[in-house]
Amino acid sequence: MTFLTTLLGFLLAVSLLVTVHELGHYWVARKLGFKVLRFSVGFGRPLWKKVAGADQTEYVFAAIPLGGYVKLLDEREGPVAPEDLSRSFTRKKPWQRILVLLAGPGFNFIFAILILWGMLWVSGSPELRPVVGSVAVNSLAAQAGLRAEDEILEAEGRAMRSHSDVMFAFIEAMSEDGQIDLTVQGPGGLPRQLTIEVADPAARRDMTEPPALMPGLGMRFWAPPTPAVIGVVQPGGPADAAGLLAGDRIVAVDGQAIADFPALVDAVAARPNRSVLFDIERNGARERLRVMTTADEVDGQEVGRIRVQTAAAAAWPPEMIRYRTFGPVSAMVEASVRAWDLTVLQAKMFARMLFGQVSLKNLSGPLSIAEYAGESARSGLSEFLGFLIVISLSLGFLNLLPIPILDGGQIVYQLAEWVRGSPLPDRVQAFGQQLGIAMLLMLMSVAIFNDFARQLG
C-alpha cells in the first residue's frame, strides 16, 4: 500500500505540474498566433489522442508520464505550407518567442501562488513559535549563549515567526559567512543579542544539509514531550533483528534512564556499531534485549541507529501556535511574497552549490521526490498541496536556468538573435545543446547518486 501511494502520488504530481507547464507554452503560443501542432502530456506511445480545432492540433496522453511537450510549427523541422509561414516559430519576432518560452515557468509560478493563496484564504496559516527546546553542552549554540526556552525573535534583522523562518535563515547564513546574529528572549526576561558563528567553511557546507543543521549547531526546537514508545520498526533493521516491537516502551539504554523519544535518539546516536542493552516495558512486564546498532554518517561523524520511528506525536499546546487568518487580498499578497522568497532562496542555494558553499547532497532525484510525494499524499490533502507548491516553484526556477535545452537557454538564444538581428550560427547552437545536455546529465547523476545513498543509509 505504501509503494502504491508513493507511485500514485508521484505520477499525479508530475503529470499535473507538467500539464500546467506545457499549458503555459500552449496558451501563450495560441494567443500570439503560433501554430500548435501537438500538446502532449507524457512521452512515448500515445494512450489517448484527439485532433481538434481549426489548426487540427493533436492532444495526446502518452504512456510515460514523466514529462511532456508542446510542438509548434517550425520550418527547421520540415517543409511549411506558404500560407502557414507567418505562424512558424522561426518567423515570429524574438520577443514573441521569448514570451512563449517564459510562459511555461510562469504558469508553474502562478499555479503555486494560486494554490497557496487558496490554502491561506480558506485555512489560514498555523505557525509553530520558534522556541528552543534543548541546547547541547559545549555546542556552538551553547557557546553563543542560547538557552532552553529562549524564543528566537529575529535572525539577521528579520522577524522570525516560525520554525521554518528560522531554518531558512540558518541555512542561508551557513551558505554565506557562517555568522547568525540573533535576538532572543527567555520566559519573563528581556530580549538579548547573541551571535552563533561557524568559522570552518567545510563545517558550514556540511550543515547546509537540512538534517545536519540543528544537530550541528547543538540545539532543538521545543516540541511536546514524546514518550519513548516505538511506533514503527523497520523490517530487517537492528531493532527488528533484536526482537523489538511496535508498542514497546524503552525504559533505559545501557542503564541510562530514558525520559522520552528524543532522549532515546540521543542515547542510540552516541553508540554506533555497538551491542547495546535495552530495558523495555512490554504488556506491563519488564524485559531486557540486546540490540546491535548500525550507523549513519552525519556531519562527518558516525551516528548510531536502530531503525525505529516514534508513535503518533503529542498535540501541540495552543500557546505554542500562532494562527494567522487572511482575507482574499491579504492571502494573495502573502502567497506572492512566500513564493518569491522561496524562489530567491532556491536561486541562492543553487548558485552557492555551484561554488561549493552548499552541499551537493541537497540535490534530490526522482526517488527522493517520489518518496516526498508519497509521504505528503499519505499525510493528507494539505501536505500534498504543500508539496505541489514547492515542486512547482522548483520546476519553474530550474526551467529558467540558462542551460540550452531548457526554456532559459532557449531564451538566451532568442535574446542573442534580437541583439544581433540574426540567429546564432548553427554550430554555436549545436555546441550549446551538447553543453546543456552534459550539464543536465551531471546534475542528474549527482541527484540520482544522492537518492541511492539515502536509500542505502
Side-chain angles (χ1 to χ4, degrees), residues 20 24 47 50 62 117 142 152 163-164 218 290 299 306 313 351 366 395 412:
V20 168
L47 300 177
K50 181 179 180 180
W117 169 65
I152 300 174
H163 290 191
S164 58
R290 281 209 168 268
D299 199 17
I306 60 171
L395 184 61
V412 171

Side-chain angles (χ1 to χ4, degrees), residues 91-139:
R91 297 297 179 101
K92 291 292 184 178
K93 295 179 180 178
W95 67 265
Q96 293 176 310
R97 296 181 230 153
I98 290 171
L99 285 180
V100 171
L101 292 165
L102 283 172
F107 267 47
N108 283 125
F109 293 129
I110 292 169
F111 178 75
I113 290 170
L114 288 177
I115 292 181
L116 186 52
W117 169 65
M119 292 175 68
L120 292 173
W121 184 14
V122 172
S123 304
S125 176
E127 298 172 335
L128 300 175
R129 289 172 52 198
V131 174
V132 177
S134 64
V135 178
V137 177
N138 296 325
S139 65

Side-chain angles (χ1 to χ4, degrees), residues 25-254:
H25 293 312
Y26 168 84
W27 187 80
V28 173
R30 290 287 301 270
K31 289 295 181 182
L32 293 177
F34 291 74
K35 185 170 183 177
V36 181
L37 302 179
R38 176 178 285 192
F39 180 178
S40 177
V41 177
F43 297 113
R45 183 172 62 86
L47 300 177
W48 176 89
K49 181 168 68 173
K50 181 179 180 180
V51 178
D55 291 336
Q56 292 294 283
T57 303
E58 288 185 335
Y59 299 92
V60 176
F61 282 98
I64 306 173
L66 298 177
Y69 62 94
V70 169
K71 184 177 182 180
L72 304 178
L73 183 68
D74 192 328
E75 58 195 301
R76 295 171 299 182
E77 298 180 1
V80 174
E83 63 271 19
D84 284 336
L85 278 174
S86 63
R87 303 184 65 195
S88 170
F89 183 84
T90 51
R91 297 297 179 101
K92 291 292 184 178
K93 295 179 180 178
W95 67 265
Q96 293 176 310
R97 296 181 230 153
I98 290 171
L99 285 180
V100 171
L101 292 165
L102 283 172
F107 267 47
N108 283 125
F109 293 129
I110 292 169
F111 178 75
I113 290 170
L114 288 177
I115 292 181
L116 186 52
W117 169 65
M119 292 175 68
L120 292 173
W121 184 14
V122 172
S123 304
S125 176
E127 298 172 335
L128 300 175
R129 289 172 52 198
V131 174
V132 177
S134 64
V135 178
V137 177
N138 296 325
S139 65
L140 293 167
Q143 293 168 18
L146 196 66
R147 300 193 289 262
E149 298 188 52
D150 279 343
E151 182 168 3
I152 300 174
L153 305 178
E154 293 183 356
E156 299 295 304
R158 302 196 303 270
M160 298 288 106
R161 299 186 57 88
S162 65
H163 290 191
S164 58
D165 286 349
V166 173
M167 292 291 288
F168 287 146
F170 281 13
I171 290 174
E172 187 167 354
M174 288 302 106
S175 69
E176 289 181 330
D177 58 3
Q179 181 172 305
I180 313 169
D181 296 320
L182 300 175
T183 301
V184 304
Q185 185 175 11
L190 296 174
R192 314 189 315 274
Q193 311 295 320
L194 53 89
T195 299
I196 300 177
E197 189 168 2
V198 184
D200 181 9
R204 294 203 299 267
R205 184 173 57 251
D206 289 340
M207 278 194 276
T208 57
E209 300 175 52
L213 177 62
M214 302 305 267
L217 295 175
M219 59 174 285
R220 277 200 182 103
F221 287 122
W222 186 90
T226 305
V229 175
I230 296 174
V232 178
V233 178
Q234 179 180 314
D240 185 39
L244 285 169
L245 302 174
D248 288 347
R249 178 186 292 272
I250 310 302
V251 178
V253 172
D254 280 344

Side-chain angles (χ1 to χ4, degrees), residues 308-383:
V308 298
Q309 297 176 27
T310 181
W316 285 77
E319 65 271 14
M320 295 301 293
I321 302 175
R322 293 191 182 99
Y323 192 83
R324 300 171 66 191
T325 57
F326 300 90
V329 176
S330 59
M332 176 58 73
V333 171
E334 181 71 13
S336 301
V337 169
R338 291 191 188 186
W340 171 258
D341 288 344
L342 280 171
T343 304
V344 169
L345 181 64
Q346 282 188 85
K348 287 181 178 178
M349 293 300 105
F350 187 82
R352 291 168 186 172
M353 197 181 299
L354 295 180
F355 287 99
Q357 297 168 278
V358 172
S359 172
L360 288 172
K361 293 180 181 179
N362 286 284
L363 280 176
S364 295
L367 289 178
S368 293
I369 294 172
E371 285 186 348
Y372 300 148
E375 289 172 6
S376 63
R378 288 190 295 274
S379 298
L381 178 61
S382 178
E383 285 74 10

